[in-house]
């Protein structure tokens, strides 16, 4: 018998953002940044903070500079970040996993579908956040701000996660709630799947490159077959 | 000389929403509702609360019923509303006027352009909120939840405000940040002007009927001539 040329078997590998994607923490982060900015006498409307959440601290500082016209020296940026971290930690008691987060991750694990987590947060905060989700993270690659040169919307975090999964670009889908997730996914040549659970509008995510948008992890799980989650 | 038939002189009258439109209070309201729901053991994602803010308390309770599958008896709704009011009051110290709010109202007043405020909030909370804005409110009609049968997205609040202004439907434009403002404006046959300062997406407001969307009061003031604010 002759051999047949088979199409290379392809399966999707998922890279998850953390805040607003797996845990319901975006609004607490937003008001923690607001408190931090207030403490430095920097007034910025809360919706503008919300729209920048999830990008790297450096770009966030540049945005502040641009939108408030103020000079942010390194000391001040350091103070801001510390104040934010403290304020967020105080409100962390109210942060819950998003509906369906555990069920979605469990379904992927049970089906042998590879996935990782990639967050703009630093390792310390990310570890505390992961503990909110009752899931065995021991075998899941976790990429944090510490592990890359540039955070979102640069693609480094997602590229590092894909490398840990040994996945090729054509097989990777990023799941995130913010415009920065979708832009970083696009720059990595990955697909972007948007979730509304971070409080952004559907069209904001679509315009930024999401090829599919779900409400939250539960909604994504209910439609997993639509985005390559073959079980 | 014969008389000429003149087109009836028309000028726009503006009806402003308060939270998210004149003051930067939406995210504090959202997390106050979150705390209230937590206190009753009712879990609801924060973005879902954000999307319902600004509608009447009764419809908000119905939404809770529908989305959480719980029974909300009148006592529980009463407790929820009291908890929210208390939690919001505690965070009110961080609420500021939105950029350009005072300048926009002053420009309208100086130009003799009529305007009113119509809010889903009760008089007591609304009074405290108006005090945040350094403006002489004594000659501005203020319509609150107490003054009407149904709050947004029913048109009653905006209709009452227009009546106080003696404005005809064809001359009224509602300025608001939420989908409920735009729907209520449409039902009153008023125009809707959307502001992004409540944290909703531009397309959400456009889809709900906004004929023009600005970032915040400052942005609206800069483009006032586009929406009938002839000075």
């Amino acid at each position: 018998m002759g051999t047949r040329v088979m199409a290379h078997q392809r399966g999707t590998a998922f890279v998850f953002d953390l805040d607003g994607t797996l845990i319901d923490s975006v609004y607490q982060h937003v008001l923690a940044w607001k408190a931090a900015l207030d403490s430095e006498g920097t007034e910025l409307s809360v919706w503008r903070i919300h729209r920048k959440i999830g990008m790297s601290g450096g770009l966030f500082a540049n945005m502040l500079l641009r939108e408030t016209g103020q000079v942010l020296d390194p000391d001040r940026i350091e103070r801001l970040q510390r104040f934010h971290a403290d304020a967020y930690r105080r409100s962390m008691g109210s942060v819950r996993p998003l509906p369906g987060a555990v069920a979605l991750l469990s379904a992927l694990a049970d089906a042998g579908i590879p996935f990782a987590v990639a967050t703009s947060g630093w390792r310390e905060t990310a570890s505390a956040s992961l503990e909110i989700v009752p899931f065995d993270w021991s075998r899941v690659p976790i990429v944090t701000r510490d592990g890359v040169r540039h955070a979102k919307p640069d693609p480094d975090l997602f590229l590092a996660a894909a490398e840990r999964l040994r996945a090729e670009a054509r097989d990777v889908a990023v799941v995130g709630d913010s415009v920065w997730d979708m832009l970083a996914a696009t720059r990595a040549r990955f697909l972007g799947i948007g979730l509304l659970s971070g409080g952004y509008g559907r069209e904001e995510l679509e315009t930024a490159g999401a090829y599919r948008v779900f409400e939250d992890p539960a909604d994504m799980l209910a439609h997993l077959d639509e985005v390559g989650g073959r079980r």
Side-chain angles (χ1 to χ4, degrees), chain A residues 3 17 22-23 63 65 68 81 100 119 123-125 152 160-161 178 180 190 201-202 227 231:
Chain A
T3 55
D17 169 56
L22 295 174
I23 63 172
M63 176 277 292
L65 239 166
T68 65
Q81 293 192 323
T119 170
R123 191 179 300 126
E124 197 184 320
T125 314
K152 306 166 195 172
S178 83
W180 316 115
F190 298 164
R202 173 180 296 273
V227 289
R231 285 177 282 179

Side-chain angles (χ1 to χ4, degrees), chain A residues 20-36:
Chain A
T21 298
L22 295 174
I23 63 172
D24 195 7
S25 56
V26 169
Y27 291 75
Q28 287 90 338
H29 272 299
V30 169
L31 286 184
W33 276 117
K34 169 72 177 163

Side-chain angles (χ1 to χ4, degrees), chain A residues 32 37 39 46-47 55 64 84 94 114 130 137 148 152-153 199 207-208:
Chain A
L37 291 168
S39 79
V46 183
W47 73 280
M55 60 162 52
L64 286 179
H84 162 263
S94 67
L130 288 169
W137 293 108
V148 296
K152 306 166 195 172
T207 306

Side-chain angles (χ1 to χ4, degrees), chain A residues 196-213:
Chain A
L196 299 178
S197 38
Y200 306 96
R202 173 180 296 273
E203 297 81 2
E204 290 179 85
L205 297 174
E206 288 170 349
T207 306
Y211 93 109
R212 202 90 177 98
V213 175

